[in-house]
Amino acid sequence: MDQVEHVSIVIEEDEVFDELSLLLVGHGFAVDRYECLKESEAVRPAALLLLGVSPSRFASTGWPQSLRDQPVIVVSDASGMLPPFETLSKVADFVDVLRRPFEPEEVLARVNAALLWRRERLTLGRACSELQELRLLNQESADDLAEQRMARCL
């Protein structure tokens, strides 16, 4: 990794935050903890969001649209059903679930997969922008050539 990848952790439980942050920092990631998503967005955008808060917090306000380009890993208890995050998957393009208890290797594998997805998406976005610019230049060149031909014919 050329630059340090930033991971925001929005989680209610101190023990889980400590476990995740120790692991991630130990593997070269920068980690910040926030009480809510709005706080994390205001400080700095992260390459990845680990979310371990109750989905009921977002029932009235909804999920922020800023999650569109940010992979999200939901930290969930192994027991019971996964909380209702269906609406999250409608906003975020990448949603993964990490069930507790988790192994360090699993956490790292999921984090690295999410960050790889993000890097590939950014690369694809840049390539699409460059292609769009080339199409515009090509169209302008074709228009100029057509004008020159018309001028010679007249």
Side-chain angles (χ1 to χ4, degrees):
M1 243 183 294
D2 294 334
Q3 63 182 16
V4 175
E5 298 271 18
H6 177 76
V7 178
S8 288
I9 301 177
V10 180
I11 200 152
E12 296 167 337
E13 298 172 49
D14 292 337
E15 182 181 309
V16 177
F17 171 78
D18 292 343
E19 182 179 359
L20 290 170
S21 65
L22 276 172
L23 175 65
L24 294 172
V25 168
H27 283 84
F29 295 95
V31 174
D32 288 321
R33 180 183 187 177
Y34 300 99
E35 295 298 317
C36 65
L37 278 176
K38 287 182 182 176
E39 181 186 10
S40 72
E41 293 171 335
V43 175
R44 83 174 134 164
L48 171 66
L49 175 67
L50 285 172
L51 185 62
V53 296
S54 169
S56 62
R57 287 180 135 191
F58 303 97
S60 60
T61 60
W63 297 101
Q65 290 297 317
S66 61
L67 295 179
R68 174 66 57 205
D69 297 320
Q70 183 180 45
V72 177
I73 297 177
V74 176
V75 180
S76 177
D77 289 325
S79 60
M81 298 290 291
L82 182 66
F85 282 102
E86 301 86 30
T87 55
L88 174 59
S89 63
K90 292 177 184 174
V91 175
D93 289 336
F94 182 101
V95 178
D96 192 9
V97 177
L98 179 62
R99 293 191 184 270
R100 296 187 318 209
F102 37 74
E103 295 296 321
E105 296 82 13
E106 180 185 13
V107 173
L108 292 172
R110 289 174 184 266
V111 166
N112 285 320
L115 293 172
L116 176 62
W117 172 87
R118 182 176 185 270
R119 285 190 294 272
E120 292 298 320
R121 181 181 172 101
L122 292 172
T123 301
L124 182 60
R126 283 191 295 271
C128 287
S129 295
E130 290 172 7
L131 182 58
Q132 186 78 11
E133 288 176 23
L134 288 173
R135 284 184 179 158
L136 291 174
L137 287 173
N138 190 26
Q139 183 61 46
E140 289 172 5
S141 297
D143 291 346
D144 290 344
L145 184 59
E147 275 183 35
Q148 291 171 5
R149 287 185 179 166
M150 290 292 282
R152 278 187 266 158
C153 291
L154 297 176

